[in-house]
Amino acid sequence: ANRAWDLPSALEFVEEAKNANSSILSILEFVEEPLKKQAVGKKWSIIDQVIALDNFWNIGEIHYALDESLADLAKDCDYNFGNIAADLRRLFGDRVNRPHGCAAFVLKPALIGLELSLQLAKLAHEEFQISAVFSSSFDSGIGLAFTSILAAVSDRAPFSSKVKKYAHGVGTFGMLGGDTLSPSFESYLSKEGLVNVNSLSRALYGLSLDEMSDRLHVLDPASPKRESTISLNESDDYLAKTSTSTSGRDIAVSVSLPLPFSDAIASSRFTDLPQMSRWSPWLNSVTYLDSEGLTEWNLNVRGVKFSWRARSEVLENPKGIKWESISGLKNRGFVEFEPTSDDSCVMKLKMSIIMPYVLVSLFQGMPSVVQEFLQNKLLKWSLEMFRDA
């Protein structure tokens, strides 16, 4: 409602909703800030706002969520979490003696900041048993990505284990004409409208969601991770084996990964080479140079850019592709998709690469570190993102 109504108008909405559907009270999760800004003596306070909202809840029997009020409170407190928390504890800290109708805190990182959003989510979950809903404010794809990652991290944190989860609000990308994120934020959505946060986190930071959780100080990294209401597709079925020369430059790797779609679909997607940058966070671009399978590749690893040209050939039995570079970064290999059922297959990749001296030096010249990066970051993350795209 976005503070659109006075109390009589809000209660009229409740009555009309009940008349339209007698089960509305069991269906409607909450109404977001239904009442106008409550200013007593021309000065607004969170206490006056919540008292009015609780009056709406007591009469109308519909829960509410705080949104704009949290942003106003943060501004009044100069974004000091201690002062904000003190005001909120007075309102929601004693549910026995002061019951309330607040179902959720709607948190907009673009308005109140990333750290404060997570601090408020923890406070709401841990002390008040109030849900936290992360929401966007017509953000770009980068802002939506931050919001999605914070939402997933919060949902998985141990302090949220006993609190009801609601859907988060990051759907405003559909109202924008373009996106500053490439590939676009929309490309990380499943057909069901769920955000693949693991792929998003890896693409932006080169970190898995678990690693992102460990780096956020308001969370306890030693505690078990919880299920999020945002899609997180992690798998233990990735198998890899590598061997390397004593110089650490010549590396051979073999990988297998089950895929939840047919070999035909897998091959069709994988052999569409210009689309690879959508699911590989290190690839800047892949471009066809002719109709005979000549391509140009651009890669970025830790700020160092590499390029090469390669010849490729699509395979039919089994379906897949093979390639070999003809200039630049030296590499060759093949990918095959072996069917396991009508709607599943196993991806098998074998490749060899001669790592440039500059890349080896980035990893302190240690072959084991180079192997680990190639096997468990560059390849693993890219192929899992391909699976989950």
Side-chain angles (χ1 to χ4, degrees), residues 86-114:
D87 280 350
L88 293 174
R89 287 187 180 108
R90 282 193 285 270
L91 290 165
F92 303 115
D94 186 359
R95 198 151 194 164
V96 174
N97 295 313
R98 192 193 178 284
H100 62 80
C102 185
F105 286 1
V106 178
L107 305 170
K108 290 185 168 71
L111 296 182
I112 63 175
L114 306 179

Side-chain angles (χ1 to χ4, degrees), residues 227-253:
E227 183 179 357
S228 169
T229 53
I230 293 184
S231 174
L232 308 172
N233 300 310
E234 289 280 3
S235 172
D236 295 327
D237 294 326
Y238 175 88
L239 299 175
K241 179 174 62 176
T242 58
S243 61
T244 185
S245 66
T246 55
S247 69
R249 294 189 62 214
D250 296 42
I251 297 177
V253 59

Side-chain angles (χ1 to χ4, degrees), residues 50-58 63-64 89-103 128 130:
V50 170
I51 288 173
L53 289 167
D54 280 334
N55 190 29
F56 163 79
W57 167 64
N58 282 318
H63 288 83
Y64 62 87
R89 287 187 180 108
R90 282 193 285 270
L91 290 165
F92 303 115
D94 186 359
R95 198 151 194 164
V96 174
N97 295 313
R98 192 193 178 284
H100 62 80
C102 185
F128 309 150
I130 290 175

